[in-house]
Amino acid sequence: MSVPTYEDMMRPVLEILAANGETQFRTMPDEVADVMHMSEADRAQKIGSGQLVVTNRVGWAITYLVQAGVVSRPRRGYAEITPRGRQLLSQTAGPISNANLAQFDEFQEFRRRSRKPNRAQGETDAVTTTDEVVADADTPKEIIDATVATVHGALVSEILERVTQLSPKDFESLVLKVLGAMQYGTAGHIESTGDSADAGIDGVISQDPLGLDRIYVQAKRYARDRTVGRPAMQAFVGALQGQQADRGVFIATCAFTREALDYADRVGVRIIPINGIELAELMLKHRVGVQTDYVATLLRLDEDFYDSL
């Protein structure tokens, strides 16, 4: 018997969480292995990094279930089944897989983020598992690229979930750190104005040492299911006009309504709206609030070495 796939583990994970309530991640691999009657030899298998295969696959099962909103992370190191997860369990006979999770919009959004270039036509294909990539006859390097895209697609959701837990003040600080990591204010400076009398302005980027070239920042930490509407955008425009400014960046943890975006396009100032997903992707790209997890080195033949002998 081999170690079950992470999809095979999805139903056992949900059943364990349904029975136990809030559960620590570190206890899940042993509980899943017990439920699935895994042998000691299978439990002892490890991947290249030294992590147990069962631990790695339970982790991925939980990651995918979280992306679908059937499992939540109520606090660090813990997982909990959601009402949606209980409903999925009761309505699904037999194994639960990605095909079952695809009915949820959140999972579809995750899959859209986890895409890789189509090498023939420049289009994109959704990637969900390495098995699917292998079935498509991709090269080993393409498989690695696709796997990284899937990992980072899941990480975007984790980043945004963590960011929404910050206090408004800490969120404002984070936004300025992200803009700094993007090299804004390199020749000048970035300062917070959250505690000043600049109503509606949370930060100012001075692009030159004298502060002649300025970009004003608004940072709003809302619940992910909220939206930023036209009134909030109008208020930001009013704050910019009060500063006699012509450029601003509005960063929020949620989406902007079409009315807000249309208004931002029509006004006489330049406004760049950045929603929650875009913020998380910028944090990932510029390495803010993330760290390296796993590094693999690929080697190839050095023809120059042999030619020089």
Side-chain angles (χ1 to χ4, degrees):
M1 178 181 177
S2 60
V3 180
T5 68
Y6 78 90
E7 286 187 280
D8 291 335
M9 294 178 176
M10 286 182 178
R11 186 174 193 95
V13 165
L14 285 177
E15 290 175 340
I16 290 169
L17 294 177
N20 297 347
E22 190 177 297
T23 305
Q24 283 188 294
F25 286 135
R26 63 181 178 82
T27 68
M28 292 294 295
D30 285 338
E31 294 185 63
V32 170
D34 290 342
V35 168
M36 302 191 80
H37 307 292
M38 288 175 53
S39 68
E40 290 302 319
D42 287 339
R43 294 174 190 235
Q45 287 188 38
K46 296 182 179 181
I47 61 176
S49 65
Q51 184 185 44
L52 293 174
V53 173
V54 63
T55 300
N56 179 266
R57 293 185 180 178
V58 167
W60 271 109
I62 293 174
T63 293
Y64 275 71
L65 293 170
V66 168
Q67 300 306 311
V70 298
V71 168
S72 67
R73 298 185 180 95
R75 53 194 174 114
R76 185 174 181 177
Y78 284 80
E80 184 176 34
I81 193 170
T82 66
R84 177 186 288 180
R86 293 184 183 276
Q87 185 177 29
L88 179 65
L89 264 182
S90 65
Q91 294 179 349
T92 307
I96 291 174
S97 67
N98 289 333
N100 301 105
L101 304 184
Q103 64 185 288
F104 303 116
D105 291 341
E106 296 91 336
F107 191 73
Q108 290 293 345
E109 180 183 318
F110 159 63
R111 295 183 72 168
R112 284 191 291 272
R113 291 196 303 272
S114 304
R115 292 178 183 270
K116 65 186 179 73
N118 182 299
R119 54 241 169 246
Q121 289 136 15
E123 298 175 351
T124 56
D125 295 320
V127 176
T128 55
T129 69
T130 302
D131 290 341
E132 292 178 11
V133 179
V134 173
D136 288 339
D138 287 350
T139 68
K141 286 186 178 180
E142 290 168 337
I143 293 171
I144 292 172
D145 288 344
T147 302
V148 170
T150 301
V151 172
H152 287 181
L155 183 55
V156 164
S157 288
E158 293 181 35
I159 291 170
L160 187 51
E161 179 182 350
R162 185 66 182 86
V163 166
T164 56
Q165 297 171 9
L166 296 174
S167 69
K169 186 174 180 60
D170 286 343
F171 178 65
E172 292 171 10
S173 176
L174 167 69
V175 163
L176 297 183
K177 287 181 183 297
V178 173
L179 293 171
M182 295 171 66
Q183 302 302 306
Y184 285 100
T186 301
H189 62 278
I190 299 176
E191 61 180 316
S192 172
T193 60
D195 295 328
S196 72
D198 294 329
I201 302 295
D202 297 315
V204 180
I205 303 170
S206 297
Q207 292 288 76
D208 62 276
L210 297 178
L212 297 174
D213 186 9
R214 290 188 166 195
I215 300 173
Y216 291 81
V217 181
Q218 172 75 283
K220 289 295 185 184
R221 189 226 59 188
Y222 292 141
R224 293 182 63 180
D225 57 354
R226 286 189 58 179
T227 55
V228 175
R230 176 169 172 162
M233 187 65 73
Q234 287 177 310
F236 182 46
V237 171
L240 291 177
Q241 292 172 339
Q243 298 293 327
Q244 297 184 326
D246 61 355
R247 282 177 293 173
V249 180
F250 196 144
I251 301 180
T253 51
C254 57
F256 293 83
T257 66
R258 173 47 54 191
E259 291 77 12
L261 295 175
D262 288 343
Y263 177 78
D265 284 339
R266 293 197 306 268
V267 295
V269 295
R270 175 67 169 162
I271 296 177
I272 301 298
I274 298 176
N275 64 35
I277 293 296
E278 292 167 339
L279 171 62
E281 288 174 342
L282 287 173
M283 292 176 63
L284 183 61
K285 178 179 179 179
H286 296 281
R287 301 295 189 266
V288 178
V290 297
Q291 59 183 352
T292 301
D293 179 41
Y294 183 81
V295 177
T297 302
L298 296 182
L299 303 178
R300 63 179 176 83
L301 194 67
D302 184 352
E303 293 287 1
D304 292 339
F305 170 80
Y306 295 98
D307 290 343
S308 64
L309 292 176

PDB file of all heavy atoms in Angstrom, residues 219-245:
ATOM      1  N   ALA A 219      -5.272  53.728   3.011  1.00  0.00           N
ATOM      2  CA  ALA A 219      -5.239  52.297   3.338  1.00  0.00           C
ATOM      3  C   ALA A 219      -6.473  51.935   4.149  1.00  0.00           C
ATOM      4  O   ALA A 219      -6.694  52.496   5.223  1.00  0.00           O
ATOM      5  CB  ALA A 219      -3.966  51.960   4.123  1.00  0.00           C
ATOM      6  N   LYS A 220      -7.282  51.003   3.632  1.00  0.00           N
ATOM      7  CA  LYS A 220      -8.502  50.591   4.314  1.00  0.00           C
ATOM      8  C   LYS A 220      -8.483  49.083   4.557  1.00  0.00           C
ATOM      9  O   LYS A 220      -8.433  48.294   3.624  1.00  0.00           O
ATOM     10  CB  LYS A 220      -9.732  50.960   3.477  1.00  0.00           C
ATOM     11  CG  LYS A 220     -10.020  52.454   3.411  1.00  0.00           C
ATOM     12  CD  LYS A 220     -10.400  53.001   4.779  1.00  0.00           C
ATOM     13  CE  LYS A 220     -10.815  54.466   4.684  1.00  0.00           C
ATOM     14  NZ  LYS A 220     -11.091  55.039   6.037  1.00  0.00           N
ATOM     15  N   ARG A 221      -8.526  48.707   5.828  1.00  0.00           N
ATOM     16  CA  ARG A 221      -8.581  47.292   6.187  1.00  0.00           C
ATOM     17  C   ARG A 221     -10.035  46.924   6.511  1.00  0.00           C
ATOM     18  O   ARG A 221     -10.548  47.232   7.579  1.00  0.00           O
ATOM     19  CB  ARG A 221      -7.680  47.017   7.394  1.00  0.00           C
ATOM     20  CG  ARG A 221      -7.493  45.532   7.712  1.00  0.00           C
ATOM     21  CD  ARG A 221      -7.664  45.278   9.171  1.00  0.00           C
ATOM     22  NE  ARG A 221      -8.982  45.697   9.627  1.00  0.00           N
ATOM     23  CZ  ARG A 221      -9.352  45.730  10.892  1.00  0.00           C
ATOM     24  NH1 ARG A 221      -8.528  45.434  11.835  1.00  0.00           N
ATOM     25  NH2 ARG A 221     -10.576  46.110  11.227  1.00  0.00           N
ATOM     26  N   TYR A 222     -10.677  46.276   5.545  1.00  0.00           N
ATOM     27  CA  TYR A 222     -12.063  45.842   5.702  1.00  0.00           C
ATOM     28  C   TYR A 222     -12.127  44.318   5.673  1.00  0.00           C
ATOM     29  O   TYR A 222     -11.181  43.646   5.251  1.00  0.00           O
ATOM     30  CB  TYR A 222     -12.939  46.378   4.560  1.00  0.00           C
ATOM     31  CG  TYR A 222     -13.153  47.872   4.560  1.00  0.00           C
ATOM     32  CD1 TYR A 222     -13.155  48.582   3.353  1.00  0.00           C
ATOM     33  CD2 TYR A 222     -13.364  48.579   5.733  1.00  0.00           C
ATOM     34  CE1 TYR A 222     -13.360  49.961   3.330  1.00  0.00           C
ATOM     35  CE2 TYR A 222     -13.575  49.962   5.714  1.00  0.00           C
ATOM     36  CZ  TYR A 222     -13.569  50.639   4.510  1.00  0.00           C
ATOM     37  OH  TYR A 222     -13.769  51.988   4.497  1.00  0.00           O
ATOM     38  N   ALA A 223     -13.256  43.766   6.087  1.00  0.00           N
ATOM     39  CA  ALA A 223     -13.493  42.334   5.923  1.00  0.00           C
ATOM     40  C   ALA A 223     -13.507  42.006   4.439  1.00  0.00           C
ATOM     41  O   ALA A 223     -13.896  42.838   3.598  1.00  0.00           O
ATOM     42  CB  ALA A 223     -14.827  41.934   6.567  1.00  0.00           C
ATOM     43  N   ARG A 224     -13.093  40.795   4.088  1.00  0.00           N
ATOM     44  CA  ARG A 224     -12.944  40.432   2.681  1.00  0.00           C
ATOM     45  C   ARG A 224     -14.270  40.431   1.930  1.00  0.00           C
ATOM     46  O   ARG A 224     -14.294  40.583   0.702  1.00  0.00           O
ATOM     47  CB  ARG A 224     -12.274  39.063   2.568  1.00  0.00           C
ATOM     48  CG  ARG A 224     -10.825  39.050   3.030  1.00  0.00           C
ATOM     49  CD  ARG A 224     -10.188  37.701   2.860  1.00  0.00           C
ATOM     50  NE  ARG A 224     -10.134  37.296   1.469  1.00  0.00           N
ATOM     51  CZ  ARG A 224      -9.614  36.153   1.048  1.00  0.00           C
ATOM     52  NH1 ARG A 224      -9.137  35.296   1.931  1.00  0.00           N
ATOM     53  NH2 ARG A 224      -9.590  35.846  -0.226  1.00  0.00           N
ATOM     54  N   ASP A 225     -15.377  40.246   2.648  1.00  0.00           N
ATOM     55  CA  ASP A 225     -16.668  40.191   1.963  1.00  0.00           C
ATOM     56  C   ASP A 225     -17.287  41.577   1.774  1.00  0.00           C
ATOM     57  O   ASP A 225     -18.371  41.706   1.224  1.00  0.00           O
ATOM     58  CB  ASP A 225     -17.643  39.279   2.708  1.00  0.00           C
ATOM     59  CG  ASP A 225     -17.871  39.705   4.156  1.00  0.00           C
ATOM     60  OD1 ASP A 225     -17.191  40.642   4.620  1.00  0.00           O
ATOM     61  OD2 ASP A 225     -18.711  39.080   4.825  1.00  0.00           O
ATOM     62  N   ARG A 226     -16.595  42.618   2.232  1.00  0.00           N
ATOM     63  CA  ARG A 226     -17.073  43.973   2.002  1.00  0.00           C
ATOM     64  C   ARG A 226     -16.551  44.502   0.665  1.00  0.00           C
ATOM     65  O   ARG A 226     -15.731  43.859   0.004  1.00  0.00           O
ATOM     66  CB  ARG A 226     -16.623  44.906   3.128  1.00  0.00           C
ATOM     67  CG  ARG A 226     -17.377  44.724   4.429  1.00  0.00           C
ATOM     68  CD  ARG A 226     -17.022  45.820   5.420  1.00  0.00           C
ATOM     69  NE  ARG A 226     -17.304  47.157   4.899  1.00  0.00           N
ATOM     70  CZ  ARG A 226     -17.091  48.285   5.589  1.00  0.00           C
ATOM     71  NH1 ARG A 226     -16.586  48.217   6.820  1.00  0.00           N
ATOM     72  NH2 ARG A 226     -17.370  49.466   5.072  1.00  0.00           N
ATOM     73  N   THR A 227     -17.009  45.670   0.280  1.00  0.00           N
ATOM     74  CA  THR A 227     -16.500  46.324  -0.925  1.00  0.00           C
ATOM     75  C   THR A 227     -16.256  47.804  -0.625  1.00  0.00           C
ATOM     76  O   THR A 227     -16.861  48.373   0.277  1.00  0.00           O
ATOM     77  CB  THR A 227     -17.483  46.214  -2.110  1.00  0.00           C
ATOM     78  OG1 THR A 227     -18.755  46.736  -1.712  1.00  0.00           O
ATOM     79  CG2 THR A 227     -17.621  44.773  -2.572  1.00  0.00           C
ATOM     80  N   VAL A 228     -15.371  48.400  -1.413  1.00  0.00           N
ATOM     81  CA  VAL A 228     -15.142  49.842  -1.345  1.00  0.00           C
ATOM     82  C   VAL A 228     -16.008  50.478  -2.422  1.00  0.00           C
ATOM     83  O   VAL A 228     -15.824  50.219  -3.619  1.00  0.00           O
ATOM     84  CB  VAL A 228     -13.665  50.187  -1.575  1.00  0.00           C
ATOM     85  CG1 VAL A 228     -13.472  51.706  -1.612  1.00  0.00           C
ATOM     86  CG2 VAL A 228     -12.797  49.571  -0.496  1.00  0.00           C
ATOM     87  N   GLY A 229     -16.958  51.290  -2.018  1.00  0.00           N
ATOM     88  CA  GLY A 229     -17.884  51.898  -2.963  1.00  0.00           C
ATOM     89  C   GLY A 229     -17.490  53.298  -3.394  1.00  0.00           C
ATOM     90  O   GLY A 229     -16.460  53.849  -2.978  1.00  0.00           O
ATOM     91  N   ARG A 230     -18.330  53.895  -4.193  1.00  0.00           N
ATOM     92  CA  ARG A 230     -18.066  55.235  -4.714  1.00  0.00           C
ATOM     93  C   ARG A 230     -17.929  56.286  -3.606  1.00  0.00           C
ATOM     94  O   ARG A 230     -17.046  57.150  -3.708  1.00  0.00           O
ATOM     95  CB  ARG A 230     -19.170  55.633  -5.698  1.00  0.00           C
ATOM     96  CG  ARG A 230     -19.029  57.058  -6.206  1.00  0.00           C
ATOM     97  CD  ARG A 230     -19.940  57.342  -7.359  1.00  0.00           C
ATOM     98  NE  ARG A 230     -19.923  58.769  -7.694  1.00  0.00           N
ATOM     99  CZ  ARG A 230     -20.330  59.271  -8.845  1.00  0.00           C
ATOM    100  NH1 ARG A 230     -20.802  58.457  -9.774  1.00  0.00           N
ATOM    101  NH2 ARG A 230     -20.283  60.573  -9.061  1.00  0.00           N
ATOM    102  N   PRO A 231     -18.743  56.257  -2.538  1.00  0.00           N
ATOM    103  CA  PRO A 231     -18.583  57.286  -1.497  1.00  0.00           C
ATOM    104  C   PRO A 231     -17.173  57.321  -0.901  1.00  0.00           C
ATOM    105  O   PRO A 231     -16.626  58.403  -0.662  1.00  0.00           O
ATOM    106  CB  PRO A 231     -19.636  56.898  -0.461  1.00  0.00           C
ATOM    107  CG  PRO A 231     -20.690  56.179  -1.246  1.00  0.00           C
ATOM    108  CD  PRO A 231     -19.936  55.415  -2.282  1.00  0.00           C
ATOM    109  N   ALA A 232     -16.594  56.145  -0.650  1.00  0.00           N
ATOM    110  CA  ALA A 232     -15.239  56.106  -0.094  1.00  0.00           C
ATOM    111  C   ALA A 232     -14.232  56.656  -1.095  1.00  0.00           C
ATOM    112  O   ALA A 232     -13.276  57.353  -0.721  1.00  0.00           O
ATOM    113  CB  ALA A 232     -14.878  54.675   0.300  1.00  0.00           C
ATOM    114  N   MET A 233     -14.437  56.338  -2.363  1.00  0.00           N
ATOM    115  CA  MET A 233     -13.530  56.852  -3.389  1.00  0.00           C
ATOM    116  C   MET A 233     -13.674  58.368  -3.507  1.00  0.00           C
ATOM    117  O   MET A 233     -12.672  59.094  -3.664  1.00  0.00           O
ATOM    118  CB  MET A 233     -13.833  56.184  -4.731  1.00  0.00           C
ATOM    119  CG  MET A 233     -12.836  56.517  -5.828  1.00  0.00           C
ATOM    120  SD  MET A 233     -11.155  55.881  -5.489  1.00  0.00           S
ATOM    121  CE  MET A 233     -11.414  54.126  -5.781  1.00  0.00           C
ATOM    122  N   GLN A 234     -14.907  58.886  -3.437  1.00  0.00           N
ATOM    123  CA  GLN A 234     -15.126  60.333  -3.489  1.00  0.00           C
ATOM    124  C   GLN A 234     -14.453  61.030  -2.311  1.00  0.00           C
ATOM    125  O   GLN A 234     -13.872  62.118  -2.464  1.00  0.00           O
ATOM    126  CB  GLN A 234     -16.619  60.633  -3.495  1.00  0.00           C
ATOM    127  CG  GLN A 234     -17.311  60.316  -4.809  1.00  0.00           C
ATOM    128  CD  GLN A 234     -18.802  60.573  -4.743  1.00  0.00           C
ATOM    129  OE1 GLN A 234     -19.479  60.123  -3.825  1.00  0.00           O
ATOM    130  NE2 GLN A 234     -19.325  61.291  -5.723  1.00  0.00           N
ATOM    131  N   ALA A 235     -14.524  60.395  -1.132  1.00  0.00           N
ATOM    132  CA  ALA A 235     -13.893  60.980   0.051  1.00  0.00           C
ATOM    133  C   ALA A 235     -12.378  61.069  -0.134  1.00  0.00           C
ATOM    134  O   ALA A 235     -11.742  62.054   0.267  1.00  0.00           O
ATOM    135  CB  ALA A 235     -14.243  60.159   1.285  1.00  0.00           C
ATOM    136  N   PHE A 236     -11.792  60.051  -0.754  1.00  0.00           N
ATOM    137  CA  PHE A 236     -10.350  60.055  -0.996  1.00  0.00           C
ATOM    138  C   PHE A 236      -9.986  61.151  -2.002  1.00  0.00           C
ATOM    139  O   PHE A 236      -8.992  61.872  -1.826  1.00  0.00           O
ATOM    140  CB  PHE A 236      -9.887  58.695  -1.504  1.00  0.00           C
ATOM    141  CG  PHE A 236      -8.409  58.583  -1.738  1.00  0.00           C
ATOM    142  CD1 PHE A 236      -7.499  59.047  -0.800  1.00  0.00           C
ATOM    143  CD2 PHE A 236      -7.917  58.006  -2.908  1.00  0.00           C
ATOM    144  CE1 PHE A 236      -6.123  58.942  -1.010  1.00  0.00           C
ATOM    145  CE2 PHE A 236      -6.557  57.898  -3.129  1.00  0.00           C
ATOM    146  CZ  PHE A 236      -5.658  58.360  -2.179  1.00  0.00           C
ATOM    147  N   VAL A 237     -10.802  61.275  -3.040  1.00  0.00           N
ATOM    148  CA  VAL A 237     -10.564  62.338  -4.016  1.00  0.00           C
ATOM    149  C   VAL A 237     -10.641  63.702  -3.343  1.00  0.00           C
ATOM    150  O   VAL A 237      -9.825  64.592  -3.599  1.00  0.00           O
ATOM    151  CB  VAL A 237     -11.576  62.240  -5.179  1.00  0.00           C
ATOM    152  CG1 VAL A 237     -11.483  63.485  -6.077  1.00  0.00           C
ATOM    153  CG2 VAL A 237     -11.320  60.985  -6.000  1.00  0.00           C
ATOM    154  N   GLY A 238     -11.621  63.879  -2.453  1.00  0.00           N
ATOM    155  CA  GLY A 238     -11.735  65.140  -1.732  1.00  0.00           C
ATOM    156  C   GLY A 238     -10.519  65.423  -0.884  1.00  0.00           C
ATOM    157  O   GLY A 238     -10.053  66.568  -0.794  1.00  0.00           O
ATOM    158  N   ALA A 239      -9.977  64.368  -0.244  1.00  0.00           N
ATOM    159  CA  ALA A 239      -8.774  64.538   0.570  1.00  0.00           C
ATOM    160  C   ALA A 239      -7.583  64.931  -0.304  1.00  0.00           C
ATOM    161  O   ALA A 239      -6.755  65.767   0.086  1.00  0.00           O
ATOM    162  CB  ALA A 239      -8.470  63.240   1.324  1.00  0.00           C
ATOM    163  N   LEU A 240      -7.492  64.340  -1.500  1.00  0.00           N
ATOM    164  CA  LEU A 240      -6.406  64.700  -2.418  1.00  0.00           C
ATOM    165  C   LEU A 240      -6.525  66.152  -2.861  1.00  0.00           C
ATOM    166  O   LEU A 240      -5.527  66.886  -2.910  1.00  0.00           O
ATOM    167  CB  LEU A 240      -6.434  63.774  -3.643  1.00  0.00           C
ATOM    168  CG  LEU A 240      -6.070  62.311  -3.424  1.00  0.00           C
ATOM    169  CD1 LEU A 240      -6.222  61.524  -4.719  1.00  0.00           C
ATOM    170  CD2 LEU A 240      -4.656  62.170  -2.889  1.00  0.00           C
ATOM    171  N   GLN A 241      -7.747  66.543  -3.185  1.00  0.00           N
ATOM    172  CA  GLN A 241      -7.952  67.928  -3.617  1.00  0.00           C
ATOM    173  C   GLN A 241      -7.628  68.910  -2.492  1.00  0.00           C
ATOM    174  O   GLN A 241      -7.130  70.006  -2.737  1.00  0.00           O
ATOM    175  CB  GLN A 241      -9.388  68.102  -4.110  1.00  0.00           C
ATOM    176  CG  GLN A 241      -9.663  67.345  -5.403  1.00  0.00           C
ATOM    177  CD  GLN A 241     -11.123  67.337  -5.805  1.00  0.00           C
ATOM    178  OE1 GLN A 241     -12.009  67.545  -4.966  1.00  0.00           O
ATOM    179  NE2 GLN A 241     -11.394  67.097  -7.083  1.00  0.00           N
ATOM    180  N   GLY A 242      -7.901  68.479  -1.253  1.00  0.00           N
ATOM    181  CA  GLY A 242      -7.559  69.322  -0.115  1.00  0.00           C
ATOM    182  C   GLY A 242      -6.067  69.518   0.027  1.00  0.00           C
ATOM    183  O   GLY A 242      -5.608  70.517   0.596  1.00  0.00           O
ATOM    184  N   GLN A 243      -5.295  68.553  -0.493  1.00  0.00           N
ATOM    185  CA  GLN A 243      -3.833  68.657  -0.465  1.00  0.00           C
ATOM    186  C   GLN A 243      -3.277  69.241  -1.766  1.00  0.00           C
ATOM    187  O   GLN A 243      -2.063  69.318  -1.939  1.00  0.00           O
ATOM    188  CB  GLN A 243      -3.220  67.263  -0.252  1.00  0.00           C
ATOM    189  CG  GLN A 243      -3.586  66.604   1.058  1.00  0.00           C
ATOM    190  CD  GLN A 243      -2.997  67.314   2.250  1.00  0.00           C
ATOM    191  OE1 GLN A 243      -1.898  67.875   2.163  1.00  0.00           O
ATOM    192  NE2 GLN A 243      -3.700  67.301   3.366  1.00  0.00           N
ATOM    193  N   GLN A 244      -4.184  69.611  -2.677  1.00  0.00           N
ATOM    194  CA  GLN A 244      -3.790  70.083  -4.006  1.00  0.00           C
ATOM    195  C   GLN A 244      -2.909  69.051  -4.697  1.00  0.00           C
ATOM    196  O   GLN A 244      -1.917  69.370  -5.370  1.00  0.00           O
ATOM    197  CB  GLN A 244      -3.075  71.435  -3.920  1.00  0.00           C
ATOM    198  CG  GLN A 244      -3.961  72.554  -3.379  1.00  0.00           C
ATOM    199  CD  GLN A 244      -3.271  73.909  -3.379  1.00  0.00           C
ATOM    200  OE1 GLN A 244      -2.059  74.005  -3.171  1.00  0.00           O
ATOM    201  NE2 GLN A 244      -4.041  74.960  -3.609  1.00  0.00           N
ATOM    202  N   ALA A 245      -3.308  67.777  -4.518  1.00  0.00           N
ATOM    203  CA  ALA A 245      -2.541  66.662  -5.071  1.00  0.00           C
ATOM    204  C   ALA A 245      -3.219  66.132  -6.330  1.00  0.00           C
ATOM    205  O   ALA A 245      -4.434  66.250  -6.495  1.00  0.00           O
ATOM    206  CB  ALA A 245      -2.421  65.538  -4.039  1.00  0.00           C
TER     207      ALA A 245
END
